[in-house]
Amino acid sequence: MSSRETDPASRRRGSRPRRSRTATVAQRDFGELRYDRGYQHVVSDDQVEALHQASLRLLETTGIEFLHPMARKILQDNGATVTGERVCLPGEMVEAMVAKAPTTFRLHSRTPGKSYQIGGNTVVNATVASAPNYVTLDGQRKTGDQAGYRDFLRLAQSLTIVHILGGFPVEPIDLHPSVRHLDAAYDAYTLTDMPFHVYSLNAHRIIDCLEMVRIARGVDYDTLQREPSIWSIVNANSPLRYDTPMLEGVLRLTELHQPVCFTPFTLAGAMAPITLAGALVQQNAEALAGITLAQAAHPGCPVIYGGFTSNVDMRSGSPAFGTPEYTKTAIVGGQLARRYGLPYRSSNVSASNAVDAQAGYESMWALWGAIGGGANIVMHGAGWMEGGLHASYEKMVIDADLLAMVATFLQPLDTSHDSLALEAIDRIGPGGHFFGDEHTQARYETEFHAPLVSDWRNWETWQEAGAPTADERANRTARSLIDNFEAPPIDSGVEAELNDFVQRRKAEGGIATDF
Amino acid sequence: MSSRETDPASRRRGSRPRRSRTATVAQRDFGELRYDRGYQHVVSDDQVEALHQASLRLLETTGIEFLHPMARKILQDNGATVTGERVCLPGEMVEAMVAKAPTTFRLHSRTPGKSYQIGGNTVVNATVASAPNYVTLDGQRKTGDQAGYRDFLRLAQSLTIVHILGGFPVEPIDLHPSVRHLDAAYDAYTLTDMPFHVYSLNAHRIIDCLEMVRIARGVDYDTLQREPSIWSIVNANSPLRYDTPMLEGVLRLTELHQPVCFTPFTLAGAMAPITLAGALVQQNAEALAGITLAQAAHPGCPVIYGGFTSNVDMRSGSPAFGTPEYTKTAIVGGQLARRYGLPYRSSNVSASNAVDAQAGYESMWALWGAIGGGANIVMHGAGWMEGGLHASYEKMVIDADLLAMVATFLQPLDTSHDSLALEAIDRIGPGGHFFGDEHTQARYETEFHAPLVSDWRNWETWQEAGAPTADERANRTARSLIDNFEAPPIDSGVEAELNDFVQRRKAEGGIATDF
């Protein structure tokens, strides 16, 4: 691959340089990725309606627990029946609240103009997030730390197909929880210029991170309200419960008009019914309940419908990911989200322990579900392994290749006169070869996806090169990208202000960690 | 996996035992696989029409070479203009001939009732075929031989999701070409009971193989005419040429009413234009030309539209497979085939040298194209590696797992009252767990795909087991299936008759091999 990668001409191939990148790995910038030819359907419209109606019935009769008193109060004021912590939501109320949510919004970063539409017919990719462990480039699995966290930020920033941060790629456990969000946000704002995610765990964490994004963007709070710049994923405690810290985050984020993604973790056979329809009803009910609260609290605030239904391995009880069951529910999740006119989040997941064939095919099953389902955000887009228990640099590089392939797949197929190539076929005729023809030569540098990882050398050449597997090739690419990393430019005054804020808040002791 | 695999109860899980199988690997028999929820679209109907019209213009103005005089005569008699070996086909003639082809037919095997619909909304999976090399279970890549050929037949027969033979999984090069088809067919009819493929290389080979299928099925030629029992893939010599031995096969097979699959090998940038639209126009024109000949020669004979457009690696000129470009053309191929009402063949391909993440994701890209495109036959369904240059036992097992996942994906999602599970969700309530509930217990053995290869054990357990990769696990499964293989029952008289025929034809010297 070296001649292509080091050839300056090849690096010009249609790319608009957008991020810092190393001299050794050529990548294409696809710009905004769009669905132009519709979506897949796993169920009929009637079945979508049956899932919807069952979800409403569940919310109305069984109800759902909201552990935060203010959340219950808001819902009660809007027509819900509250009994203890249990809240029953009338179907008309849910439908009316969900209808208040915007269909699309833009998520902004500190680089002017580098914002992304969330919802509608576009899709952006997020990093792996929240892994408690990672595997080092030397193959050691270890507990998350700031060193690893920073390298994942560097690698993600280097991969042009990764658009936004989905959280901490790996949890920097060596930073004390009271100040972790401060150091982690500082790293994120200085090592990357991607839109950032904040954990919806209590109000102060969110206030700190929003102040940091305000500083990083150099704008005021009114602008942040108009231009959402930080997002958060809120998981229901399935089945049928939202806990207090999460809800406190929801109330604060929606007040500040920052988008919240409601993602029930409905693992069929464990926290949800074993039947996919049952798990989807529960997913849908829990997501709608969260969105109902958000819209009741702050009508019109941006929200995202998150789908994360998978199945357990019934032998061991372990979660399975990237299964055909997962693919089906991911596609149905998209059908449901579109029924409500809501942005949809799905994920690129794998339960594999090794970066092997299983990791490759499970991620592809997941991407088939996400893209077939019309996901607007592909969460855990790059680097998620072992059912989320570790982040992997090699997997991040391989996933970036898969995401670039998805981008290639989504590009419209050109059937213009020149592309139909009748003159070229006639010119070359029976038994000829197209390689040297002008029609080929004019296009060969840009016509096809040029992979980071896929190795198409013949057997002999590949053997002579040491027969590297995809995992090994991705390791080399990850090392190269991290070693040659250059942080995106940042104004020195802004950087100093961020640092001052972090130091001041650390001196104040950060946040309470009694949750 | 051992407790599940050796538990007799688990092996009853909804399976109808259909083939010989070992006691150690539980597999589900999905029966006929059906598309119930439509297909994907990469281009609009207008674009399909543009590709169609461009193909007709190409056949009418540039024409195509048919090297066999009889083929040219038949086409000329039906309205074509012949100049030397070049044949120009009027658009109306092509459309009229293609319209004569049946939309569906059944392909039969020697086991009564074990036949498959080809076309319409069903899909069957074929073995890898025609690899010149294979990798042994000890990891050595070697030239194809009968020992390897037989083991691939044993393994394919053991995998219930593999339905038909697509040719020789690996070429038994140690058998002399004059008699290779006899020994190979004998092995295929005794070690498997799958429908068989014959190479369309000249008339005598086909006559021999058809006599053998007649013996194996214990029927007469009239029955074989009504019940096609052997199929053949015919590749155009792209660009724009059909050679003499292939055409001789076409004429003989169609006369005998055995199905022929016309598959141009249109590698964009090499044997076809670099633009996907151009490569598809050429694929479509070449396939339609072959089908036109078949229908002109024997109206109503069963044919299959084969799509095999991929792209070359523009760095090396090597063919690439399982790329997003491949996926797009596979889906458009299905759109074209459905426009003509023809059965559609696509493939499960990978260019990877190793059974690694690349092999996993390339096969999944290919399967996304095949299944999204509504392929009726997934050729090279299990075992194809290195762009077809070697067959792999481990890949065959992994692919069988992927194909079973496809089958699971294709099963309709049940939204009946019991599946919606409202009572179960209500019974369990907030914070509960579904594992022990009756709704789960009644279904846990059959609700989810139980994989052959995917390993969902937690990190520690997996480490204690030696941290086996998917490749290593597939190796163990392949060894177990081959070691424990039991051939499907065959009448001893039939077996003797097959043997007598092979010995007689070998004594006669087999066939001429001067092609």
Side-chain angles (χ1 to χ4, degrees):
Chain A
M1 299 168 82
S2 57
S3 73
R4 170 60 149 291
E5 288 168 354
T6 55
D7 173 10
S10 74
R11 285 189 288 119
R12 283 198 303 269
R13 37 205 306 283
S15 304
R16 288 175 285 143
R18 192 186 45 155
R19 298 221 189 116
S20 61
R21 61 171 69 187
T22 74
T24 53
V25 180
Q27 295 174 67
R28 178 162 173 182
D29 182 349
F30 288 90
E32 204 160 56
L33 308 180
R34 237 184 303 268
Y35 298 103
D36 278 325
R37 297 236 46 84
Y39 309 98
Q40 281 194 270
H41 303 92
V42 157
V43 292
S44 68
D45 289 347
D46 285 350
Q47 289 181 297
V48 170
E49 210 48 34
L51 294 168
H52 168 63
Q53 292 299 340
S55 310
L56 292 191
R57 201 150 61 246
L58 180 63
L59 290 173
E60 191 158 334
T61 59
T62 300
I64 178 165
E65 282 187 5
F66 284 89
L67 302 193
H68 196 297
M70 176 68 82
R72 293 197 297 272
K73 172 79 167 58
I74 292 168
L75 290 166
Q76 192 167 31
D77 290 348
N78 282 273
T81 305
V82 175
T83 314
E85 291 173 326
R86 189 83 69 107
V87 180
C88 290
L89 302 166
E92 318 85 74
M93 174 190 170
V94 172
E95 288 184 325
M97 291 299 159
V98 169
K100 294 181 196 290
T103 302
T104 66
F105 58 89
R106 294 197 81 82
L107 188 59
H108 296 258
S109 83
R110 70 170 170 88
T111 295
K114 185 169 156 182
S115 66
Y116 300 102
Q117 175 179 302
I118 307 295
N121 70 341
T122 60
V123 53
V124 297
N125 303 308
T127 56
V128 54
S130 312
N133 308 291
Y134 69 111
V135 171
T136 68
L137 285 165
D138 297 321
Q140 299 305 308
R141 183 173 178 277
K142 60 186 290 193
T143 300
D145 54 27
Q146 190 178 21
Y149 169 73
R150 285 176 168 167
D151 276 346
F152 278 106
L153 291 181
R154 292 183 178 108
L155 185 56
Q157 172 73 14
S158 305
L159 296 162
T160 57
I161 199 67
V162 178
H163 303 100
I164 67 175
L165 294 169
F168 305 156
V170 66
E171 189 80 20
I173 310 265
D174 53 344
L175 301 176
H176 190 274
S178 60
V179 297
R180 187 180 298 161
H181 67 292
L182 297 166
D183 286 324
Y186 181 83
D187 287 344
Y189 287 128
T190 51
L191 293 175
T192 88
D193 64 352
M194 292 187 263
F196 189 50
H197 169 280
V198 61
Y199 288 95
S200 180
L201 289 181
N202 64 23
H204 285 106
R205 186 186 295 253
I206 290 163
I207 292 168
D208 283 343
C209 287
L210 206 69
E211 173 61 10
M212 289 179 75
V213 72
R214 192 200 60 72
I215 297 169
R217 289 200 57 202
V219 296
D220 59 19
Y221 275 92
D222 282 349
T223 306
L224 281 191
Q225 289 249 359
R226 286 193 310 274
E227 298 182 354
S229 303
I230 198 161
W231 72 303
S232 185
I233 293 171
V234 165
N235 298 117
N237 294 20
S238 304
L240 302 180
R241 180 180 286 158
Y242 279 100
D243 70 22
T244 306
M246 283 274 188
L247 289 172
E248 188 167 328
V250 169
L251 296 175
R252 185 54 59 116
L253 283 159
T254 54
E255 179 188 352
L256 298 166
H257 213 73
Q258 306 304 303
V260 177
C261 176
F262 291 92
T263 309
F265 184 15
T266 35
L267 204 56
M271 298 89 92
I274 190 169
T275 48
L276 297 187
L280 283 163
V281 165
Q282 189 183 311
Q283 166 190 299
N284 198 51
E286 292 175 358
L288 293 185
I291 292 166
T292 295
L293 170 65
Q295 298 303 324
H298 300 285
C301 67
V303 293
I304 299 158
Y305 181 109
F308 202 69
T309 294
S310 194
N311 55 304
V312 290
D313 174 11
M314 295 311 292
R315 299 169 212 182
S316 63
S318 305
F321 291 101
T323 61
E325 290 85 3
Y326 178 93
T327 311
K328 287 162 99 161
T329 59
I331 292 173
V332 177
Q335 293 186 256
L336 286 162
R338 281 192 299 283
R339 186 205 179 284
Y340 305 120
L342 294 171
Y344 177 49
R345 163 253 159 119
S346 188
S347 306
N348 173 11
V349 290
S350 165
S352 187
N353 291 306
V355 182
D356 60 1
Q358 181 182 341
Y361 66 68
E362 287 187 335
S363 266
M364 284 297 300
W365 276 112
L367 286 172
W368 186 346
I371 301 306
N376 303 111
I377 295 179
V378 178
M379 183 61 193
H380 305 303
W384 211 73
M385 288 284 294
E386 198 197 331
L389 292 178
H390 85 253
S392 156
Y393 298 107
E394 292 84 0
K395 182 69 165 20
M396 185 172 268
V397 170
I398 288 173
D399 284 339
D401 224 2
L402 296 183
L403 294 171
M405 292 186 221
V406 164
T408 304
F409 176 70
L410 289 177
Q411 290 192 304
L413 197 143
D414 176 11
T415 51
S416 64
H417 179 86
D418 281 355
S419 284
L420 291 171
L422 286 178
E423 290 84 356
I425 302 172
D426 185 71
R427 188 163 58 234
I428 283 145
H433 201 287
F434 287 76
F435 194 81
D437 188 76
E438 64 198 69
H439 187 265
T440 309
Q441 289 298 311
R443 292 169 175 81
Y444 82 95
E445 286 189 343
T446 53
E447 197 67 16
F448 303 136
H449 167 64
L452 290 174
V453 176
S454 299
D455 189 335
W456 297 325
R457 290 176 291 188
N458 68 36
W459 180 273
E460 292 71 22
T461 312
W462 176 71
Q463 284 287 330
E464 282 160 20
T469 61
D471 188 15
E472 292 161 351
R473 298 191 301 272
N475 182 279
R476 279 181 224 164
T477 302
R479 281 181 195 274
S480 168
L481 286 167
I482 292 170
D483 288 349
N484 294 290
F485 178 74
E486 289 171 36
I490 187 167
D491 180 273
S492 60
V494 169
E495 190 168 10
E497 196 180 344
L498 281 173
N499 188 49
D500 289 348
F501 177 80
V502 169
Q503 297 315 320
R504 175 170 68 77
R505 290 287 297 117
K506 287 170 82 166
E508 291 168 4
I511 54 166
T513 54
D514 57 344
F515 55 85
Chain B
M1 300 168 84
S2 56
S3 72
R4 170 63 150 288
E5 288 169 352
T6 55
D7 173 11
S10 75
R11 282 190 289 119
R12 284 197 303 269
R13 36 206 305 285
S15 303
R16 289 175 284 144
R18 192 185 47 157
R19 298 223 188 115
S20 60
R21 62 172 66 188
T22 74
T24 53
V25 180
Q27 295 174 66
R28 178 162 175 184
D29 183 350
F30 288 91
E32 204 159 55
L33 308 180
R34 237 185 303 270
Y35 298 102
D36 278 325
R37 296 235 47 84
Y39 310 98
Q40 281 195 268
H41 302 93
V42 158
V43 293
S44 67
D45 289 347
D46 285 350
Q47 289 182 297
V48 170
E49 209 50 32
L51 294 168
H52 168 64
Q53 292 298 338
S55 309
L56 292 191
R57 201 150 64 247
L58 180 63
L59 289 173
E60 190 157 333
T61 59
T62 301
I64 179 165
E65 283 187 5
F66 284 89
L67 301 193
H68 196 297
M70 176 67 81
R72 293 197 296 272
K73 173 79 165 60
I74 291 167
L75 290 165
Q76 192 166 32
D77 290 349
N78 282 273
T81 305
V82 176
T83 314
E85 291 172 324
R86 189 82 69 106
V87 180
C88 290
L89 302 166
E92 319 85 75
M93 173 189 170
V94 171
E95 289 184 324
M97 291 299 160
V98 169
K100 294 181 196 288
T103 301
T104 67
F105 60 88
R106 293 196 82 82
L107 188 59
H108 295 258
S109 83
R110 70 170 171 86
T111 294
K114 185 169 156 183
S115 67
Y116 300 102
Q117 174 179 303
I118 308 294
N121 70 340
T122 59
V123 53
V124 297
N125 304 310
T127 56
V128 53
S130 313
N133 308 290
Y134 70 110
V135 172
T136 68
L137 285 166
D138 298 320
Q140 298 305 308
R141 183 173 178 277
K142 59 187 292 193
T143 300
D145 54 27
Q146 191 178 19
Y149 169 74
R150 286 175 166 167
D151 277 346
F152 278 105
L153 292 181
R154 292 183 179 106
L155 185 57
Q157 173 72 16
S158 305
L159 296 163
T160 57
I161 199 67
V162 178
H163 303 100
I164 67 175
L165 293 169
F168 304 156
V170 66
E171 189 80 20
I173 309 265
D174 53 344
L175 301 175
H176 191 275
S178 61
V179 297
R180 186 181 300 162
H181 68 292
L182 296 166
D183 286 324
Y186 180 83
D187 287 344
Y189 287 129
T190 51
L191 293 175
T192 88
D193 63 352
M194 291 187 264
F196 190 50
H197 168 279
V198 61
Y199 288 95
S200 180
L201 288 180
N202 65 23
H204 284 106
R205 185 187 294 254
I206 291 163
I207 292 167
D208 282 344
C209 287
L210 207 68
E211 174 61 10
M212 289 179 74
V213 74
R214 192 199 59 72
I215 296 169
R217 289 200 56 202
V219 297
D220 59 19
Y221 276 92
D222 283 348
T223 305
L224 281 192
Q225 289 248 358
R226 286 193 310 274
E227 298 181 354
S229 304
I230 198 162
W231 73 302
S232 187
I233 293 170
V234 166
N235 299 115
N237 294 17
S238 305
L240 303 179
R241 181 181 285 158
Y242 279 100
D243 72 20
T244 306
M246 283 274 188
L247 289 172
E248 189 166 327
V250 170
L251 296 175
R252 185 55 57 117
L253 282 160
T254 53
E255 180 188 352
L256 298 166
H257 214 74
Q258 305 304 303
V260 178
C261 176
F262 292 93
T263 309
F265 184 15
T266 35
L267 203 57
M271 299 90 92
I274 190 168
T275 49
L276 298 186
L280 282 163
V281 165
Q282 190 182 310
Q283 165 190 299
N284 198 50
E286 293 175 358
L288 294 184
I291 292 165
T292 295
L293 170 64
Q295 298 303 324
H298 301 283
C301 67
V303 293
I304 298 158
Y305 181 108
F308 201 69
T309 294
S310 193
N311 55 302
V312 290
D313 174 11
M314 296 311 293
R315 301 169 210 181
S316 63
S318 305
F321 292 101
T323 61
E325 290 85 3
Y326 178 93
T327 310
K328 286 163 99 161
T329 59
I331 291 173
V332 178
Q335 294 187 256
L336 287 162
R338 281 192 299 283
R339 186 204 178 285
Y340 305 121
L342 294 170
Y344 176 49
R345 162 254 159 119
S346 188
S347 305
N348 173 10
V349 290
S350 165
S352 187
N353 291 306
V355 182
D356 60 0
Q358 182 182 341
Y361 67 67
E362 287 186 336
S363 266
M364 283 297 302
W365 275 111
L367 286 172
W368 186 346
I371 301 306
N376 304 111
I377 296 179
V378 178
M379 182 63 191
H380 306 303
W384 211 71
M385 288 285 294
E386 198 196 331
L389 292 178
H390 85 253
S392 156
Y393 298 108
E394 292 84 0
K395 183 70 165 22
M396 184 172 270
V397 170
I398 288 173
D399 283 339
D401 224 3
L402 296 183
L403 294 171
M405 291 185 221
V406 164
T408 304
F409 177 69
L410 289 177
Q411 290 192 305
L413 197 143
D414 177 9
T415 50
S416 64
H417 179 84
D418 281 354
S419 285
L420 291 172
L422 286 178
E423 289 84 356
I425 301 173
D426 185 70
R427 188 162 56 233
I428 283 144
H433 201 287
F434 288 76
F435 195 82
D437 189 77
E438 63 198 72
H439 187 264
T440 309
Q441 290 298 313
R443 292 168 175 81
Y444 82 95
E445 286 189 343
T446 53
E447 197 66 15
F448 303 136
H449 168 64
L452 291 174
V453 177
S454 298
D455 189 334
W456 297 325
R457 290 176 292 188
N458 68 35
W459 181 273
E460 292 70 22
T461 312
W462 176 70
Q463 285 286 332
E464 281 161 19
T469 61
D471 189 14
E472 291 161 352
R473 297 190 302 270
N475 181 280
R476 279 180 224 163
T477 302
R479 281 181 195 273
S480 168
L481 287 167
I482 292 169
D483 289 349
N484 294 292
F485 179 74
E486 289 170 35
I490 188 167
D491 181 273
S492 60
V494 169
E495 189 167 13
E497 196 179 345
L498 280 173
N499 189 48
D500 289 350
F501 177 81
V502 168
Q503 297 315 320
R504 176 169 68 75
R505 289 287 295 118
K506 286 170 84 165
E508 290 168 6
I511 55 167
T513 54
D514 58 343
F515 55 84

